[in-house]
Amino acid sequence: MNKLFPITYWLDGTMTRFPGNVAYALEKRVEPHIAEPVSQPKAKIAKPQRPVDTAADEARLNQLEDDHQRLLAQMNDTNDVEELMTLQRQAEALQADIDMLPHQLLESI
């Protein structure tokens, strides 16, 4: 370890930097004037965030829900299997968007 680490940090409830290898740190750790204290990083103060306007996202969610209801109504009105499958795929895609949008709204707040 002495060959690998030219600087040693001693951790014993605090952190002390020694400008030498482990053997040097073991010798000098009882002499506090040799060690270089490590300053603690300053805590960052979070900037207040401006309010998020969610009106557009809420309108988009309402539109998706309306489109989904129209697709479900179309599915009830048809007996064509191919058309039902197409409508089902569209309804599933809309439902996935509907399920994802509230999570995005909450994250933006």
Side-chain angles (χ1 to χ4, degrees):
M1 286 180 49
N2 285 329
K3 292 180 182 179
L4 294 175
F5 302 104
I7 297 173
T8 304
Y9 288 91
W10 196 271
L11 305 172
D12 59 356
T14 62
M15 184 168 64
T16 308
R17 180 182 185 271
F18 291 92
N21 58 27
V22 175
Y24 178 82
L26 285 170
E27 291 174 16
K28 301 299 182 180
R29 72 183 179 109
V30 293
E31 302 173 25
H33 64 279
I34 299 294
E36 299 174 14
V38 176
S39 63
Q40 297 294 327
K42 295 180 181 179
K44 292 183 180 179
I45 298 173
K47 294 179 183 177
Q49 295 181 350
R50 59 184 168 87
V52 178
D53 181 21
T54 59
D57 290 331
E58 290 174 7
R60 170 105 172 104
L61 180 59
N62 288 334
Q63 182 63 46
L64 289 172
E65 289 172 341
D66 290 344
D67 292 346
H68 188 258
Q69 289 301 316
R70 271 195 290 289
L71 277 175
L72 294 178
Q74 285 178 343
M75 289 172 69
N76 286 332
D77 293 340
T78 189
N79 291 327
D80 182 7
V81 174
E82 293 297 321
E83 186 179 354
L84 275 172
M85 291 177 68
T86 301
L87 292 171
Q88 178 63 35
R89 283 191 293 274
Q90 292 173 356
E92 287 172 355
L94 279 175
Q95 188 61 52
D97 289 344
I98 290 169
D99 292 343
M100 184 179 59
L101 199 52
H103 296 291
Q104 291 174 345
L105 282 168
L106 289 174
E107 289 176 359
S108 68
I109 294 177

